[in-house]
Amino acid sequence: MDTTVVNTGTEGKTWGGGNKPLKASYGKMMMWFFILSDALTFSGFLASYGFSRFKFSEIWPIADDVFTHVPFIHGDYPMIFVAFMTFILIMSSVTMVLAVDAGHKMDKSKTTIYMFLTIIGGLIFLSSQAYEWTTFIKGEYGAVETHGGNIIHFVNTDGNRVALKDFAIAQPTDRAQHERKNGIWYSDEKKLTSFTFNEVLAGFKANDDILVKTTYTDNATGHKTVLSRAESLTELETKGKNVVEGANLVHNEYGPPLFANYFFFITGFHGFHVSIGVLLNIIIFFNVILGTYEKRNSYEMVEKVGLYWHFVDLVWVFVFTFFYLV
């Protein structure tokens, strides 16, 4: 049986299998297309966040008041841990550059070392993000939610935050969390807070050195407004509704629930990308050890995952700027 070969006229031309557009291989071009499409996705998320941030700027939480935790160290250290996370991720990008450079020189040992350091940096970043999420969800100080959906924080006369556990007065109660196993079989409720609103109110009245800090920003100082003692008592008695501890997609002790929603979605989406990047780096790392790319006489795969890793790092710079600094 004869086989007929049809010439299309594209042989040896761009996209015809001969020339390389922009002097890049097909694999690198596809990685650039993916990066471009993903950059548009992140741009949409950050633009949406920026719109909400400035639309509700008066009640939007201040990052310095929210991200103050450092592992194993008690106290408020605004943005220190987030800065550490950013530094680690940027340094992992540096080690990836060195890995790509070593690959160009066909230096297997240095490529292995720098890929390993990149993986370690990625794992440290993911672990740090897990700690940040845990702290954000759990909360530390607690707050009171108003009937209007705003948040009331408590501070001492020096302006430092005061936790509910430090002044709330526990009262006898037989209130128990409703669960399906001990109540209506098709219904249950969220975990009860450590204190009720009445316990917080009683403790507030018994401590004259505690004031209310609202979620409204004072345009003159750039900080949240702290009320006088009389104003604080009126605010709590007339507007207080229930106690909020930590943050989730419904309630948020730091401010509007929308802030928590953006935090979980944007940082979670980026963390997912970092996780994929670490997984890809691990695969490439073992291929380098096995000598796969030496046999191919090309370390281009290291360069491809390097492009992805640099993109992930660059996106975090924008997330850090929009979410934590602005």
Side-chain angles (χ1 to χ4, degrees):
M1 181 177 181
D2 295 334
T3 302
T4 302
V5 179
V6 179
N7 295 324
T8 62
T10 62
E11 292 77 9
K13 296 182 180 180
T14 300
W15 300 116
N19 299 329
K20 293 182 178 181
L22 304 178
K23 296 182 179 181
S25 67
Y26 179 80
K28 288 175 64 176
M29 284 293 294
M30 292 303 101
M31 179 58 77
W32 277 112
F33 278 132
F34 168 76
I35 288 174
L36 178 61
S37 63
D38 217 26
L40 293 175
T41 303
F42 273 106
S43 297
F45 293 158
L46 292 176
S48 177
Y49 172 80
F51 174 80
S52 300
R53 166 70 176 81
F54 288 101
K55 181 179 180 180
F56 304 104
S57 59
E58 188 179 21
I59 61 173
W60 206 256
I62 299 174
D64 285 350
D65 295 336
V66 178
F67 306 104
T68 61
H69 304 88
V70 177
F72 313 114
I73 301 178
H74 181 71
D76 292 341
Y77 301 93
M79 305 300 293
I80 295 297
F81 189 61
V82 180
F84 166 76
M85 293 169 54
T86 305
F87 173 77
I88 290 295
L89 198 59
I90 291 176
M91 289 306 299
S92 72
S93 193
V94 173
T95 56
M96 178 57 82
V97 169
L98 296 174
V100 172
D101 181 66
H104 286 163
K105 297 176 181 177
M106 300 298 293
D107 191 331
K108 177 181 175 180
S109 60
K110 286 187 177 180
T111 304
T112 303
I113 293 172
Y114 291 130
M115 286 295 296
F116 177 75
L117 292 176
T118 302
I119 293 170
I120 294 300
L123 291 175
I124 293 175
F125 177 85
L126 289 175
S127 300
S128 301
Q129 194 169 57
Y131 168 81
E132 187 183 37
W133 268 49
T134 302
T135 305
F136 189 79
I137 293 171
K138 181 180 178 182
E140 181 179 1
Y141 295 101
V144 169
E145 186 178 30
T146 68
H147 290 281
N150 291 323
I151 295 297
I152 292 175
H153 295 143
F154 300 94
V155 297
N156 57 26
T157 52
D158 295 326
N160 298 320
R161 285 286 299 274
V162 178
L164 301 183
K165 62 183 180 181
D166 293 333
F167 68 89
I169 299 177
Q171 300 174 352
T173 179
D174 56 357
R175 178 74 166 88
Q177 181 181 356
H178 174 69
E179 298 176 315
R180 296 182 183 182
K181 64 181 181 181
N182 58 15
I184 303 175
W185 66 269
Y186 57 83
S187 177
D188 56 12
E189 64 181 354
K190 65 179 182 178
K191 182 180 179 181
L192 297 178
T193 55
S194 302
F195 303 97
T196 65
F197 172 72
N198 289 331
E199 291 173 333
V200 172
L201 179 60
F204 183 82
K205 291 180 177 180
N207 291 270
D208 295 333
D209 59 339
I210 298 179
L211 304 174
V212 160
K213 182 167 74 170
T214 70
T215 54
Y216 293 96
T217 304
D218 186 344
N219 294 327
T221 63
H223 299 289
K224 298 299 181 181
T225 304
V226 178
L227 305 179
S228 66
R229 177 64 186 179
E231 292 173 333
S232 297
L233 186 57
T234 301
E235 181 83 3
L236 189 60
E237 286 183 321
T238 59
K239 298 182 179 181
K241 178 183 178 182
N242 56 270
V243 173
V244 179
E245 293 178 322
N248 52 47
L249 298 179
V250 180
H251 300 285
N252 174 20
E253 77 167 48
Y254 309 101
L258 189 61
F259 174 80
N261 295 343
Y262 276 119
F263 174 80
F264 290 127
F265 191 78
I266 293 179
T267 62
F269 192 62
H270 177 266
F272 171 74
H273 279 71
V274 176
S275 300
I276 296 299
V278 170
L279 180 61
L280 291 174
N281 284 335
I282 291 175
I283 294 173
I284 301 303
F285 170 73
F286 281 109
N287 280 338
V288 172
I289 293 177
L290 294 174
T292 302
Y293 307 123
E294 278 198 337
K295 296 175 183 177
R296 296 180 184 177
N297 198 33
S298 172
Y299 278 79
E300 187 178 284
M301 282 301 299
V302 176
E303 188 172 357
K304 291 176 186 176
V305 297
L307 289 174
Y308 177 82
W309 193 254
H310 295 322
F311 167 72
V312 168
D313 290 0
L314 181 61
V315 167
W316 178 253
V317 172
F318 283 97
V319 172
F320 178 75
T321 302
F322 275 69
F323 212 98
Y324 297 94
L325 296 184
V326 176

